[in-house]
Amino acid sequence: MRRLETRWGILMALPAILGFVIFTIGPMVASAFFSLTDWTIGASPSFIGLDNYATMVKDELFWKSLSTTAYYTLGAVPLVLIVSFVVALLLNQKVRGLAVWRTIFYLPTLVPAIANVVLWIWIFNPDFGLLNSLLREGGLPGSQWIYGESTAVPSMIIMSTWGFGNTMVIFLAGLQGVPRHLYEAVSIDGGGVWRRFWHVTLPMMTPTIFYNLVVGVVGTFQVFNQAYVMTEGGPNHATLFYVYYLFRKAFTESEMGYASALAWTLFMIIMVVTFLMFRNARRWVYYEMAGAR
């Protein structure tokens, strides 16, 4: 019976295993090989060893794209975490029409990515966009937003808060899992709202905060749609994000070997950053079941 169950288990899992090997592992191995070659679309790849990686070190646009992506990550991730956490705290209260409010705040996440970008192109329009219209109504000067070199990335950081629905839902689930008796204990000791938040909510939510932090960092390092649709990396390479630069090298300039090297470099960067976050998490993430930080 055990052998029969094992065989059926393997048989049922085989499509997923084959799909993973063929469509994930296979392309990864191929890109690792192509990263060591000089290969343009339509030509045969020629082995050049680590030359692509050596070229990368001297490539000014590589460093520009990496710094721009890091800038975006450092701005967007904390902002989205703070906004989504505050909204989750508000939506965790017992108020009338709570389901409606939760739906309203989650709806922007359901907007397709390209439609979302097109909407924000209108919002950021310096002539008739929504933001500048509101600023003018208030007697304030307008901004160039995504059309200005110094304001393009900050504008996209602001835009990143639009899709905080998934992060908010995860925070909300974490808040609902905080034991009620801990709040009662603080209240008995005379603690108010701030002490309940600081000594109960925040420590108990650190695993959820850490999860959203890791997912947010990995996601922002792969930002692409905004640069591709809104600015094409401009103005003056101000929004030349890493993945957009990789895409341009691969499908505009047809340098597939160099693009593969860029992809593996990004993979290693994300691996290192994630490893460092996990190492640092021991200092501030509290797991109740483990009883230790």
Side-chain angles (χ1 to χ4, degrees):
M1 181 61 68
R2 289 182 179 177
R3 290 180 180 178
L4 183 61
E5 289 179 351
T6 301
R7 290 173 184 174
W8 275 107
I10 294 174
L11 183 62
M12 294 297 102
L14 193 59
I17 295 172
L18 288 176
F20 178 72
V21 171
I22 295 172
F23 297 110
T24 302
I25 299 298
M28 287 182 67
V29 172
S31 69
F33 168 74
F34 290 133
S35 71
L36 304 175
T37 66
D38 179 13
W39 179 41
T40 57
I41 297 177
S44 299
S46 58
F47 186 80
I48 58 173
L50 299 176
D51 284 3
N52 283 326
Y53 296 94
T55 302
M56 201 180 301
V57 175
K58 304 174 184 177
D59 186 356
E60 293 183 1
L61 288 182
F62 162 75
W63 293 109
K64 175 65 176 178
S65 66
L66 187 59
S67 62
T68 301
T69 305
Y71 174 27
Y72 178 80
T73 298
L74 291 173
V77 173
L79 182 61
V80 171
L81 288 178
I82 292 170
V83 171
S84 57
F85 190 52
V86 170
V87 173
L89 286 170
L90 294 174
L91 295 180
N92 196 42
Q93 308 302 312
K94 294 180 180 179
V95 296
R96 183 177 298 179
L98 185 59
V100 175
W101 287 111
R102 289 176 177 175
T103 303
I104 291 172
F105 279 106
Y106 187 77
L107 277 177
T109 308
L110 302 179
V111 178
I114 300 302
N116 180 35
V117 171
V118 172
L119 172 64
W120 278 91
I121 290 176
W122 167 69
I123 293 175
F124 285 139
N125 189 286
D127 297 322
F128 53 81
L130 176 62
L131 288 178
N132 274 359
S133 296
L134 293 175
L135 289 174
R136 294 190 189 101
E137 288 293 328
L140 299 173
S143 172
Q144 290 298 308
W145 302 110
I146 59 173
Y147 301 97
E149 186 175 347
S150 61
T151 56
V153 175
S155 299
M156 291 187 178
I157 290 173
I158 294 172
M159 174 183 167
S160 67
T161 60
W162 176 256
F164 67 84
N166 290 330
T167 308
M168 177 199 70
V169 168
I170 294 171
F171 274 136
L172 187 59
L175 288 169
Q176 293 177 351
V178 177
R180 299 293 102 183
H181 68 268
L182 298 178
Y183 291 119
E184 294 171 359
V186 175
S187 298
I188 291 172
D189 289 340
V193 175
W194 173 249
R195 288 188 177 273
R196 289 198 298 270
F197 171 78
W198 187 255
H199 294 289
V200 177
T201 303
L202 201 57
M204 297 301 294
M205 285 295 292
T206 50
T208 309
I209 294 171
F210 177 64
Y211 171 81
N212 282 330
L213 173 65
V214 173
V215 172
V217 169
V218 173
T220 52
F221 262 103
Q222 301 175 72
V223 63
F224 172 76
N225 290 331
Q226 294 91 321
Y228 180 66
V229 178
M230 300 176 79
T231 62
E232 296 183 351
N236 194 25
H237 303 306
T239 57
L240 186 65
F241 295 122
Y242 193 99
V243 173
Y244 178 71
Y245 181 53
L246 189 159
F247 169 84
R248 200 168 72 177
K249 281 292 182 182
F251 300 106
T252 302
E253 302 176 22
S254 300
E255 297 182 19
M256 298 300 293
Y258 190 66
S260 297
L262 287 171
W264 274 97
T265 301
L266 177 62
F267 175 75
M268 294 306 299
I269 291 172
I270 292 176
M271 287 286 289
V272 170
V273 171
T274 304
F275 172 77
L276 293 176
M277 286 192 293
F278 270 90
R279 285 294 298 271
N280 186 58
R282 301 175 185 177
R283 302 179 181 179
W284 62 276
V285 178
Y286 175 80
Y287 295 98
E288 185 182 17
M289 299 302 294
R293 290 177 185 263

